[in-house]
Coordinates of all heavy atoms in Angstrom, one line a residue:
M81 N 64.9 -89.6 -34.0 CA 63.7 -89.8 -33.2 C 63.0 -88.5 -33.0 O 63.6 -87.5 -32.9 CB 64.0 -90.5 -31.9 CG 64.4 -91.9 -32.0 SD 64.9 -92.6 -30.5 CE 66.5 -93.3 -31.0
A82 N 61.7 -88.6 -32.8 CA 60.9 -87.4 -32.6 C 59.6 -87.8 -31.8 O 59.1 -88.9 -31.9 CB 60.6 -86.8 -33.9
I83 N 59.2 -86.8 -31.0 CA 57.9 -86.9 -30.3 C 57.1 -85.7 -30.6 O 57.6 -84.5 -30.5 CB 58.2 -87.0 -28.8 CG1 59.0 -88.2 -28.4 CG2 56.8 -87.0 -28.0 CD1 59.5 -88.2 -27.0
T84 N 55.9 -85.8 -31.1 CA 55.0 -84.7 -31.4 C 53.8 -84.8 -30.5 O 53.2 -85.8 -30.4 CB 54.6 -84.8 -32.9 OG1 55.7 -84.9 -33.7 CG2 53.7 -83.6 -33.3
K85 N 53.5 -83.6 -29.9 CA 52.4 -83.6 -29.0 C 51.3 -82.7 -29.6 O 51.6 -81.6 -30.0 CB 52.8 -83.0 -27.6 CG 53.9 -83.8 -27.0 CD 54.4 -83.0 -25.7 CE 55.6 -83.7 -25.1 NZ 56.2 -82.9 -24.0
Q86 N 50.1 -83.2 -29.6 CA 48.9 -82.4 -30.1 C 47.9 -82.4 -29.0 O 47.2 -83.4 -28.8 CB 48.4 -83.1 -31.4 CG 47.2 -82.3 -32.0 CD 46.5 -83.0 -33.2 OE1 46.9 -84.1 -33.5 NE2 45.6 -82.3 -33.8
Y87 N 47.7 -81.2 -28.4 CA 46.7 -81.1 -27.3 C 45.4 -80.8 -28.0 O 45.2 -79.9 -28.8 CB 47.1 -80.0 -26.4 CG 48.4 -80.3 -25.6 CD1 49.6 -79.9 -26.1 CD2 48.3 -80.9 -24.4 CE1 50.8 -80.2 -25.4 CE2 49.4 -81.2 -23.7 CZ 50.7 -80.9 -24.2 OH 51.8 -81.2 -23.5
L88 N 44.4 -81.6 -27.5 CA 43.0 -81.4 -28.1 C 42.3 -80.4 -27.3 O 42.3 -80.4 -26.0 CB 42.3 -82.7 -28.0 CG 42.9 -83.9 -28.8 CD1 42.1 -85.2 -28.7 CD2 43.1 -83.6 -30.2
K89 N 41.6 -79.4 -28.0 CA 40.9 -78.3 -27.3 C 39.8 -78.9 -26.5 O 39.0 -79.8 -26.9 CB 40.3 -77.4 -28.4 CG 41.3 -76.5 -29.0 CD 40.6 -75.5 -29.9 CE 41.6 -74.5 -30.5 NZ 41.0 -73.5 -31.3
N90 N 39.6 -78.3 -25.3 CA 38.5 -78.6 -24.4 C 38.5 -80.1 -24.0 O 37.4 -80.6 -23.6 CB 37.2 -78.3 -25.0 CG 37.1 -76.8 -25.3 OD1 37.6 -76.0 -24.5 ND2 36.5 -76.4 -26.4
K91 N 39.6 -80.8 -24.1 CA 39.7 -82.2 -23.7 C 40.9 -82.4 -22.8 O 41.9 -81.6 -23.0 CB 39.7 -83.1 -24.9 CG 38.4 -83.2 -25.6 CD 38.3 -84.3 -26.6 CE 37.0 -84.3 -27.3 NZ 36.9 -85.4 -28.3
S92 N 40.9 -83.4 -22.0 CA 42.0 -83.7 -21.1 C 43.0 -84.7 -21.8 O 43.7 -85.4 -21.1 CB 41.6 -84.2 -19.8 OG 40.8 -85.3 -20.0
I93 N 43.0 -84.7 -23.1 CA 43.8 -85.7 -23.8 C 44.8 -85.0 -24.7 O 44.6 -83.9 -25.3 CB 42.9 -86.6 -24.7 CG1 41.9 -87.3 -23.9 CG2 43.7 -87.5 -25.6 CD1 42.5 -88.4 -23.0
C94 N 46.0 -85.6 -24.8 CA 47.0 -85.2 -25.8 C 47.4 -86.4 -26.7 O 47.6 -87.5 -26.2 CB 48.3 -84.8 -25.0 SG 49.6 -84.2 -26.1
K95 N 47.3 -86.1 -28.0 CA 47.8 -87.2 -28.9 C 49.3 -87.1 -29.1 O 49.8 -86.0 -29.5 CB 47.1 -87.0 -30.3 CG 45.6 -87.4 -30.2 CD 45.1 -87.5 -31.7 CE 43.7 -88.0 -31.7 NZ 43.1 -88.1 -33.0
V96 N 50.0 -88.1 -28.7 CA 51.4 -88.2 -28.8 C 51.8 -89.1 -30.0 O 51.4 -90.3 -30.0 CB 52.0 -88.7 -27.5 CG1 53.5 -88.7 -27.6 CG2 51.6 -87.8 -26.3
T97 N 52.6 -88.6 -30.9 CA 53.1 -89.4 -32.0 C 54.6 -89.6 -31.8 O 55.4 -88.7 -31.6 CB 52.9 -88.6 -33.3 OG1 51.5 -88.4 -33.5 CG2 53.4 -89.5 -34.5
F98 N 54.9 -90.9 -31.8 CA 56.3 -91.3 -31.7 C 56.9 -91.7 -33.1 O 56.2 -92.4 -33.9 CB 56.4 -92.6 -30.8 CG 56.0 -92.4 -29.4 CD1 54.7 -92.8 -29.1 CD2 56.8 -91.8 -28.5 CE1 54.2 -92.6 -27.8 CE2 56.4 -91.7 -27.2 CZ 55.1 -92.1 -26.8
S99 N 58.1 -91.2 -33.4 CA 58.7 -91.5 -34.7 C 60.1 -92.0 -34.4 O 60.9 -91.3 -33.7 CB 58.8 -90.2 -35.6 OG 57.5 -89.8 -35.9
V100 N 60.4 -93.2 -35.0 CA 61.7 -93.8 -34.7 C 62.4 -94.2 -36.1 O 61.8 -95.1 -36.8 CB 61.6 -95.0 -33.8 CG1 63.0 -95.7 -33.6 CG2 61.0 -94.7 -32.5
P101 N 63.5 -93.5 -36.5 CA 64.1 -94.0 -37.7 C 64.9 -95.3 -37.4 O 65.8 -95.3 -36.6 CB 65.1 -92.8 -38.0 CG 65.3 -92.1 -36.8 CD 64.1 -92.4 -35.9
A102 N 64.5 -96.3 -38.0 CA 65.1 -97.7 -37.8 C 64.9 -98.5 -39.0 O 64.2 -99.5 -39.0 CB 64.5 -98.3 -36.6
E103 N 65.5 -98.1 -40.1 CA 65.3 -98.7 -41.4 C 65.6 -100.2 -41.4 O 65.0 -101.0 -42.0 CB 66.2 -98.0 -42.4 CG 65.8 -98.3 -43.9 CD 66.6 -97.4 -44.9 OE1 66.8 -96.3 -44.5 OE2 66.9 -97.9 -45.9
A104 N 66.6 -100.6 -40.6 CA 67.0 -102.1 -40.6 C 66.1 -102.9 -39.6 O 66.2 -104.1 -39.6 CB 68.5 -102.2 -40.2
A105 N 65.3 -102.2 -38.8 CA 64.5 -102.9 -37.8 C 63.3 -103.6 -38.4 O 62.8 -103.2 -39.5 CB 64.1 -102.0 -36.7
N106 N 62.9 -104.7 -37.8 CA 61.6 -105.4 -38.2 C 60.4 -105.0 -37.4 O 59.3 -104.9 -37.8 CB 61.8 -106.9 -38.1 CG 62.9 -107.4 -39.0 OD1 62.8 -107.1 -40.2 ND2 63.8 -108.1 -38.5
K107 N 60.7 -104.6 -36.1 CA 59.6 -104.3 -35.2 C 60.0 -103.3 -34.1 O 61.0 -103.4 -33.5 CB 59.1 -105.6 -34.5 CG 57.9 -105.4 -33.5 CD 57.5 -106.8 -32.9 CE 56.4 -106.6 -32.0 NZ 56.0 -107.8 -31.3
V108 N 59.1 -102.3 -34.0 CA 59.4 -101.2 -33.0 C 58.1 -101.0 -32.2 O 57.0 -100.8 -32.8 CB 59.8 -99.9 -33.6 CG1 60.0 -98.8 -32.5 CG2 61.1 -100.1 -34.4
T109 N 58.2 -101.1 -30.9 CA 57.0 -100.8 -30.0 C 57.4 -99.8 -29.0 O 58.6 -99.5 -28.7 CB 56.5 -102.1 -29.3 OG1 57.6 -102.6 -28.6 CG2 56.0 -103.1 -30.3
V110 N 56.4 -99.2 -28.3 CA 56.7 -98.3 -27.2 C 56.0 -98.9 -25.9 O 54.9 -99.2 -25.9 CB 56.0 -96.9 -27.4 CG1 56.4 -95.9 -26.3 CG2 56.5 -96.3 -28.8
L111 N 56.9 -99.1 -24.9 CA 56.4 -99.6 -23.6 C 56.6 -98.5 -22.6 O 57.6 -97.7 -22.7 CB 57.3 -100.8 -23.2 CG 57.1 -102.0 -24.1 CD1 58.2 -103.0 -23.8 CD2 55.7 -102.6 -23.8
G112 N 55.7 -98.4 -21.6 CA 55.9 -97.4 -20.6 C 54.9 -97.5 -19.5 O 54.1 -98.4 -19.4
S113 N 54.9 -96.5 -18.7 CA 54.0 -96.4 -17.5 C 52.5 -96.3 -18.0 O 51.6 -96.8 -17.3 CB 54.3 -95.3 -16.6 OG 54.4 -94.1 -17.3
F114 N 52.3 -95.8 -19.2 CA 50.9 -95.7 -19.7 C 50.3 -97.0 -20.1 O 49.1 -97.1 -20.3 CB 50.9 -94.7 -20.8 CG 51.9 -94.9 -21.9 CD1 51.7 -95.8 -22.9 CD2 53.1 -94.2 -21.9 CE1 52.6 -96.0 -23.9 CE2 54.0 -94.3 -22.9 CZ 53.8 -95.2 -23.9
N115 N 51.2 -98.0 -20.3 CA 50.6 -99.4 -20.7 C 51.2 -100.4 -19.7 O 51.3 -101.6 -20.0 CB 50.9 -99.7 -22.1 CG 52.3 -99.7 -22.6 OD1 53.2 -99.8 -21.7 ND2 52.6 -99.6 -23.8
E116 N 51.6 -100.0 -18.5 CA 52.1 -100.8 -17.5 C 53.3 -101.7 -17.9 O 53.5 -102.8 -17.4 CB 51.0 -101.6 -16.9 CG 49.9 -100.8 -16.3 CD 48.7 -101.6 -15.7 OE1 48.8 -102.8 -15.7 OE2 47.8 -100.9 -15.3
W117 N 54.1 -101.2 -18.9 CA 55.3 -101.9 -19.4 C 54.9 -103.3 -19.9 O 55.8 -104.2 -19.8 CB 56.4 -102.0 -18.3 CG 56.9 -100.6 -17.9 CD1 56.4 -99.9 -16.8 CD2 57.8 -99.8 -18.5 NE1 57.0 -98.7 -16.8 CE2 57.9 -98.6 -17.8 CE3 58.6 -99.9 -19.7 CZ2 58.8 -97.6 -18.2 CZ3 59.5 -98.9 -20.0 CH2 59.5 -97.7 -19.3
N118 N 53.7 -103.5 -20.3 CA 53.2 -104.8 -20.7 C 53.4 -104.9 -22.3 O 52.7 -104.2 -23.0 CB 51.8 -105.0 -20.3 CG 51.2 -106.3 -20.6 OD1 51.6 -107.0 -21.6 ND2 50.3 -106.7 -19.8
E119 N 54.2 -105.9 -22.7 CA 54.4 -106.0 -24.2 C 53.1 -106.3 -24.9 O 53.0 -106.0 -26.1 CB 55.4 -107.1 -24.4 CG 56.8 -106.7 -24.2 CD 57.9 -107.6 -24.8 OE1 57.8 -107.8 -26.0 OE2 58.7 -108.1 -24.0
N120 N 52.1 -107.0 -24.3 CA 50.9 -107.3 -24.9 C 50.0 -106.0 -25.2 O 49.2 -106.0 -26.0 CB 50.0 -108.3 -24.1 CG 50.7 -109.6 -24.0 OD1 51.4 -110.1 -24.9 ND2 50.6 -110.3 -22.8
N121 N 50.3 -104.9 -24.4 CA 49.6 -103.7 -24.6 C 50.5 -102.6 -25.2 O 50.1 -101.4 -25.2 CB 49.1 -103.2 -23.2 CG 48.1 -104.1 -22.6 OD1 47.3 -104.8 -23.3 ND2 48.1 -104.2 -21.3
A122 N 51.6 -103.0 -25.7 CA 52.6 -102.0 -26.3 C 52.0 -101.3 -27.5 O 51.2 -101.8 -28.2 CB 53.9 -102.7 -26.7
V123 N 52.4 -100.1 -27.7 CA 52.1 -99.3 -28.8 C 52.9 -99.8 -30.0 O 54.1 -99.7 -30.0 CB 52.3 -97.8 -28.6 CG1 51.9 -97.0 -29.8 CG2 51.5 -97.3 -27.4
Q124 N 52.3 -100.4 -31.0 CA 53.0 -100.9 -32.2 C 53.2 -99.8 -33.1 O 52.2 -99.1 -33.6 CB 52.1 -102.0 -32.8 CG 51.8 -103.2 -31.9 CD 53.0 -104.1 -31.6 OE1 53.9 -104.2 -32.5 NE2 53.0 -104.7 -30.5
L125 N 54.4 -99.5 -33.5 CA 54.7 -98.5 -34.5 C 54.7 -99.1 -35.9 O 55.2 -100.2 -36.1 CB 56.0 -97.8 -34.2 CG 56.2 -97.2 -32.8 CD1 57.4 -96.4 -32.7 CD2 55.0 -96.3 -32.5
K126 N 54.2 -98.4 -36.8 CA 54.1 -98.9 -38.2 C 55.3 -98.4 -39.0 O 55.7 -97.2 -39.0 CB 52.8 -98.4 -38.8 CG 52.5 -98.9 -40.2 CD 51.2 -98.4 -40.8 CE 51.1 -98.9 -42.2 NZ 49.9 -98.3 -42.8
K127 N 55.9 -99.3 -39.8 CA 57.0 -99.0 -40.6 C 56.6 -98.3 -41.9 O 55.7 -98.8 -42.6 CB 57.8 -100.2 -41.0 CG 59.2 -99.9 -41.6 CD 60.1 -101.1 -41.7 CE 61.5 -100.7 -42.1 NZ 62.4 -101.9 -42.1
L128 N 57.1 -97.1 -42.1 CA 56.8 -96.3 -43.3 C 57.8 -96.6 -44.4 O 58.8 -97.2 -44.2 CB 56.8 -94.8 -43.0 CG 55.9 -94.4 -41.8 CD1 56.1 -92.9 -41.6 CD2 54.5 -94.7 -42.1
K129 N 57.5 -96.2 -45.6 CA 58.4 -96.5 -46.8 C 59.8 -95.9 -46.6 O 60.7 -96.5 -47.1 CB 57.8 -96.0 -48.1 CG 56.5 -96.7 -48.5 CD 56.0 -96.2 -49.8 CE 54.7 -96.9 -50.2 NZ 54.2 -96.4 -51.5
N130 N 59.9 -94.8 -45.9 CA 61.2 -94.2 -45.7 C 62.0 -94.9 -44.6 O 63.1 -94.4 -44.2 CB 61.1 -92.7 -45.4 CG 60.4 -92.4 -44.1 OD1 60.1 -93.3 -43.3 ND2 60.2 -91.1 -43.8
G131 N 61.5 -96.0 -44.0 CA 62.2 -96.7 -42.9 C 62.0 -96.2 -41.5 O 62.5 -96.8 -40.6
T132 N 61.2 -95.2 -41.4 CA 60.8 -94.7 -40.0 C 59.6 -95.4 -39.5 O 58.6 -95.7 -40.3 CB 60.5 -93.2 -40.1 OG1 61.6 -92.5 -40.6 CG2 60.0 -92.6 -38.8
F133 N 59.6 -95.7 -38.2 CA 58.4 -96.3 -37.6 C 57.7 -95.2 -36.9 O 58.3 -94.3 -36.2 CB 58.9 -97.4 -36.5 CG 59.4 -98.7 -37.1 CD1 60.6 -98.8 -37.7 CD2 58.5 -99.8 -37.2 CE1 61.1 -100.0 -38.2 CE2 58.9 -101.0 -37.7 CZ 60.2 -101.1 -38.2
K134 N 56.3 -95.2 -37.0 CA 55.5 -94.1 -36.5 C 54.2 -94.7 -35.9 O 53.6 -95.6 -36.4 CB 55.2 -93.2 -37.6 CG 54.8 -91.8 -37.2 CD 54.7 -90.9 -38.4 CE 54.5 -89.5 -38.0 NZ 54.5 -88.6 -39.1
G135 N 53.8 -94.1 -34.8 CA 52.5 -94.4 -34.2 C 52.1 -93.4 -33.2 O 52.9 -92.6 -32.7
T136 N 50.8 -93.4 -32.9 CA 50.2 -92.3 -32.1 C 49.4 -93.0 -31.0 O 48.7 -94.0 -31.2 CB 49.2 -91.4 -32.9 OG1 50.0 -90.8 -34.0 CG2 48.6 -90.3 -32.1
V137 N 49.4 -92.4 -29.8 CA 48.7 -92.8 -28.6 C 48.0 -91.6 -28.0 O 48.6 -90.5 -28.0 CB 49.6 -93.6 -27.7 CG1 50.7 -92.8 -27.1 CG2 48.8 -94.2 -26.6
A138 N 46.8 -91.8 -27.4 CA 46.2 -90.7 -26.7 C 46.4 -90.9 -25.2 O 46.2 -91.9 -24.7 CB 44.7 -90.7 -27.0
L139 N 47.0 -89.8 -24.6 CA 47.3 -89.9 -23.2 C 46.7 -88.7 -22.4 O 46.5 -87.6 -23.0 CB 48.8 -89.9 -23.0 CG 49.6 -91.0 -23.6 CD1 51.1 -90.7 -23.5 CD2 49.2 -92.3 -22.9
E140 N 46.4 -88.9 -21.1 CA 45.9 -87.8 -20.3 C 46.9 -86.7 -20.1 O 48.1 -86.9 -19.9 CB 45.4 -88.3 -19.0 CG 44.2 -89.2 -19.0 CD 43.7 -89.6 -17.7 OE1 44.0 -88.9 -16.7 OE2 43.1 -90.7 -17.5
K141 N 46.4 -85.4 -20.2 CA 47.2 -84.3 -20.0 C 47.6 -84.2 -18.5 O 47.0 -84.8 -17.7 CB 46.5 -83.0 -20.5 CG 46.4 -82.9 -21.9 CD 45.9 -81.5 -22.4 CE 44.7 -80.9 -21.6 NZ 44.3 -79.6 -22.2
D142 N 48.5 -83.3 -18.2 CA 48.9 -83.0 -16.8 C 49.4 -84.2 -16.1 O 49.3 -84.3 -14.9 CB 47.7 -82.4 -16.0 CG 47.2 -81.1 -16.7 OD1 48.0 -80.3 -17.2 OD2 45.9 -80.9 -16.7
N143 N 50.1 -85.0 -16.8 CA 50.8 -86.2 -16.3 C 52.2 -86.3 -16.9 O 52.5 -85.8 -17.9 CB 50.0 -87.5 -16.6 CG 48.7 -87.6 -15.8 OD1 48.8 -87.6 -14.6 ND2 47.6 -87.8 -16.4
S144 N 53.0 -87.1 -16.2 CA 54.3 -87.5 -16.7 C 54.3 -89.0 -16.9 O 53.7 -89.7 -16.1 CB 55.4 -87.1 -15.7 OG 55.6 -85.7 -15.7
Y145 N 54.9 -89.5 -18.0 CA 55.0 -90.9 -18.3 C 56.4 -91.3 -18.5 O 57.1 -90.6 -19.2 CB 54.1 -91.2 -19.5 CG 52.7 -90.8 -19.4 CD1 52.2 -89.6 -19.8 CD2 51.7 -91.7 -18.8 CE1 50.9 -89.2 -19.7 CE2 50.4 -91.3 -18.7 CZ 50.0 -90.1 -19.1 OH 48.7 -89.7 -19.0
E146 N 56.8 -92.5 -18.0 CA 58.1 -93.0 -18.4 C 57.9 -94.0 -19.5 O 56.8 -94.6 -19.6 CB 58.7 -93.8 -17.2 CG 59.1 -92.9 -16.0 CD 59.7 -93.7 -14.9 OE1 60.3 -94.7 -15.1 OE2 59.5 -93.2 -13.7
F147 N 58.9 -94.0 -20.5 CA 58.7 -94.9 -21.6 C 60.1 -95.3 -22.2 O 61.1 -94.6 -21.9 CB 57.8 -94.3 -22.7 CG 58.5 -93.2 -23.5 CD1 59.1 -93.5 -24.7 CD2 58.6 -91.9 -23.0 CE1 59.7 -92.4 -25.4 CE2 59.2 -90.9 -23.7 CZ 59.8 -91.2 -24.9
R148 N 60.1 -96.3 -23.0 CA 61.3 -96.7 -23.8 C 60.8 -97.4 -25.1 O 59.7 -97.9 -25.1 CB 62.1 -97.7 -23.0 CG 62.8 -97.1 -21.8 CD 63.8 -98.0 -21.2 NE 65.1 -97.7 -21.8 CZ 66.2 -98.4 -21.6 NH1 66.2 -99.4 -20.8 NH2 67.3 -98.0 -22.2
Y149 N 61.6 -97.3 -26.1 CA 61.3 -98.0 -27.3 C 61.9 -99.4 -27.2 O 62.9 -99.6 -26.7 CB 61.9 -97.3 -28.6 CG 61.4 -95.9 -28.8 CD1 62.2 -94.8 -28.6 CD2 60.0 -95.7 -29.1 CE1 61.7 -93.5 -28.8 CE2 59.6 -94.4 -29.3 CZ 60.4 -93.3 -29.2 OH 60.0 -92.1 -29.4
L150 N 61.2 -100.4 -27.8 CA 61.7 -101.7 -27.9 C 61.9 -102.0 -29.4 O 60.9 -102.2 -30.2 CB 60.7 -102.7 -27.3 CG 61.2 -104.2 -27.2 CD1 62.5 -104.3 -26.3 CD2 60.1 -105.1 -26.6
V151 N 63.2 -102.0 -29.8 CA 63.5 -102.1 -31.3 C 64.1 -103.5 -31.4 O 65.2 -103.8 -31.0 CB 64.5 -101.0 -31.7 CG1 64.9 -101.2 -33.2 CG2 63.9 -99.7 -31.5
D152 N 63.4 -104.4 -32.1 CA 63.8 -105.8 -32.3 C 64.4 -106.4 -31.0 O 65.5 -107.0 -31.0 CB 64.9 -105.9 -33.4 CG 64.3 -105.6 -34.8 OD1 63.0 -105.7 -34.9 OD2 65.0 -105.3 -35.7
G153 N 63.7 -106.2 -29.9 CA 64.1 -106.8 -28.6 C 65.1 -106.1 -27.8 O 65.4 -106.5 -26.7
T154 N 65.5 -104.9 -28.3 CA 66.5 -104.1 -27.5 C 65.9 -102.8 -27.1 O 65.3 -102.0 -27.9 CB 67.7 -103.8 -28.4 OG1 68.3 -105.0 -28.8 CG2 68.8 -102.9 -27.6
F155 N 65.9 -102.4 -25.8 CA 65.4 -101.2 -25.3 C 66.3 -100.0 -25.7 O 67.5 -100.1 -25.5 CB 65.2 -101.2 -23.8 CG 64.0 -101.9 -23.4 CD1 64.0 -103.2 -22.8 CD2 62.7 -101.3 -23.5 CE1 62.9 -103.8 -22.3 CE2 61.6 -102.0 -23.1 CZ 61.6 -103.2 -22.5
I156 N 65.7 -98.9 -26.2 CA 66.4 -97.7 -26.4 C 65.6 -96.5 -25.9 O 64.4 -96.6 -25.8 CB 66.8 -97.5 -27.9 CG1 65.6 -97.4 -28.8 CG2 67.8 -98.6 -28.4 CD1 65.9 -97.0 -30.2
N157 N 66.2 -95.4 -25.6 CA 65.6 -94.2 -25.2 C 65.5 -93.2 -26.4 O 66.2 -93.3 -27.4 CB 66.3 -93.5 -24.1 CG 65.9 -94.1 -22.7 OD1 64.8 -94.6 -22.5 ND2 66.9 -94.1 -21.8
D158 N 64.6 -92.2 -26.3 CA 64.4 -91.2 -27.2 C 65.3 -90.0 -26.8 O 65.1 -89.5 -25.7 CB 63.0 -90.8 -27.4 CG 62.7 -89.9 -28.6 OD1 63.5 -89.0 -28.9 OD2 61.6 -90.2 -29.2
E159 N 66.2 -89.5 -27.7 CA 67.0 -88.4 -27.3 C 66.2 -87.1 -27.2 O 66.7 -86.1 -26.7 CB 68.2 -88.3 -28.2 CG 67.9 -87.8 -29.6 CD 67.7 -88.9 -30.6 OE1 67.7 -90.1 -30.2 OE2 67.5 -88.6 -31.8
K160 N 65.0 -87.1 -27.7 CA 64.2 -85.9 -27.7 C 63.2 -85.9 -26.5 O 62.3 -85.1 -26.5 CB 63.3 -85.8 -29.0 CG 64.2 -85.8 -30.3 CD 64.8 -84.4 -30.5 CE 65.5 -84.4 -31.8 NZ 66.2 -83.2 -32.1
A161 N 63.4 -86.9 -25.6 CA 62.5 -87.0 -24.4 C 62.6 -85.7 -23.6 O 63.5 -85.0 -23.6 CB 62.8 -88.2 -23.6
D162 N 61.5 -85.5 -22.8 CA 61.5 -84.3 -21.9 C 62.5 -84.5 -20.7 O 62.8 -83.5 -20.0 CB 60.1 -84.1 -21.3 CG 59.1 -83.8 -22.5 OD1 59.5 -83.1 -23.4 OD2 57.9 -84.2 -22.4
G163 N 62.9 -85.7 -20.4 CA 63.8 -85.9 -19.3 C 64.1 -87.4 -19.2 O 63.6 -88.2 -20.0
Y164 N 64.9 -87.8 -18.2 CA 65.3 -89.2 -18.0 C 65.3 -89.5 -16.5 O 65.6 -88.6 -15.7 CB 66.6 -89.5 -18.6 CG 66.7 -89.2 -20.0 CD1 67.1 -88.0 -20.5 CD2 66.3 -90.1 -21.0 CE1 67.2 -87.7 -21.8 CE2 66.3 -89.8 -22.3 CZ 66.8 -88.6 -22.8 OH 66.8 -88.3 -24.1
V165 N 64.9 -90.7 -16.1 CA 65.0 -91.1 -14.7 C 65.6 -92.5 -14.6 O 65.4 -93.3 -15.6 CB 63.6 -91.1 -14.0 CG1 63.0 -89.7 -13.9 CG2 62.6 -92.0 -14.7
A166 N 66.3 -92.7 -13.5 CA 66.9 -94.1 -13.4 C 65.8 -95.1 -13.2 O 64.7 -94.9 -12.6 CB 67.8 -94.0 -12.1
N167 N 66.1 -96.3 -13.8 CA 65.1 -97.4 -13.6 C 65.8 -98.5 -12.7 O 66.9 -98.4 -12.3 CB 64.7 -98.0 -14.9 CG 65.8 -98.6 -15.7 OD1 66.7 -99.2 -15.2 ND2 65.6 -98.5 -17.1
E168 N 65.0 -99.5 -12.3 CA 65.4 -100.5 -11.4 C 66.4 -101.5 -12.0 O 67.0 -102.3 -11.3 CB 64.2 -101.3 -10.8 CG 63.4 -102.0 -11.9 CD 62.1 -102.5 -11.4 OE1 61.2 -101.7 -11.2 OE2 61.9 -103.7 -11.3
F169 N 66.7 -101.3 -13.3 CA 67.6 -102.3 -13.9 C 69.0 -101.7 -14.1 O 69.8 -102.2 -14.9 CB 67.0 -102.7 -15.3 CG 65.7 -103.3 -15.1 CD1 64.5 -102.7 -15.5 CD2 65.5 -104.6 -14.6 CE1 63.3 -103.2 -15.4 CE2 64.3 -105.2 -14.4 CZ 63.1 -104.5 -14.8
G170 N 69.2 -100.5 -13.5 CA 70.5 -99.8 -13.7 C 70.7 -98.9 -14.9 O 71.7 -98.4 -15.2
G171 N 69.6 -98.7 -15.6 CA 69.6 -97.9 -16.8 C 68.7 -96.7 -16.6 O 68.4 -96.3 -15.4
E172 N 68.2 -96.1 -17.7 CA 67.3 -94.9 -17.6 C 66.1 -95.2 -18.4 O 66.1 -95.9 -19.5 CB 68.1 -93.7 -18.2 CG 69.2 -93.2 -17.3 CD 69.7 -91.9 -17.9 OE1 69.9 -91.8 -19.2 OE2 70.0 -91.0 -17.1
N173 N 65.0 -94.5 -18.0 CA 63.8 -94.5 -18.8 C 63.6 -93.0 -19.3 O 64.0 -92.1 -18.6 CB 62.6 -94.9 -18.0 CG 62.6 -96.3 -17.6 OD1 63.2 -97.1 -18.2 ND2 61.9 -96.6 -16.5
A174 N 63.1 -92.9 -20.5 CA 62.8 -91.5 -21.0 C 61.5 -91.1 -20.3 O 60.7 -91.9 -19.9 CB 62.6 -91.6 -22.5
V175 N 61.3 -89.8 -20.2 CA 60.2 -89.2 -19.5 C 59.4 -88.3 -20.5 O 60.1 -87.5 -21.3 CB 60.5 -88.3 -18.3 CG1 59.3 -87.6 -17.7 CG2 61.2 -89.2 -17.3
L176 N 58.1 -88.4 -20.5 CA 57.2 -87.6 -21.4 C 56.3 -86.8 -20.5 O 55.6 -87.3 -19.7 CB 56.4 -88.5 -22.3 CG 55.4 -87.9 -23.2 CD1 56.1 -87.1 -24.3 CD2 54.6 -89.0 -23.9
N177 N 56.4 -85.4 -20.5 CA 55.6 -84.6 -19.7 C 54.5 -83.9 -20.6 O 54.8 -83.3 -21.6 CB 56.5 -83.4 -19.1 CG 57.5 -84.0 -18.1 OD1 57.2 -84.9 -17.3 ND2 58.7 -83.4 -18.2
L178 N 53.3 -84.1 -20.1 CA 52.1 -83.6 -20.9 C 51.4 -82.5 -20.0 O 51.3 -82.6 -18.8 CB 51.2 -84.7 -21.3 CG 51.8 -85.8 -22.1 CD1 50.7 -86.8 -22.5 CD2 52.3 -85.2 -23.4

């Protein structure tokens, strides 16, 4: 897994690219505080020929966001996240600091 951050000059936006190697998966999305954990607003990652799912979202700088990947109905965290916080379900959410 990987997270790439591209800060845009003179703008308060950062383009964040999520990459998830999940060759056997059919669907990978990103849910988090930036889309109110709503599956209807989830960031849909596109499956590439090499089996990696990839997608980009524009987020405001100077903020922290909690997120998790939803891989074929199972939540997973990114080991490259900036940190982790406990969630209300007894697990952890990944944290993205911009």
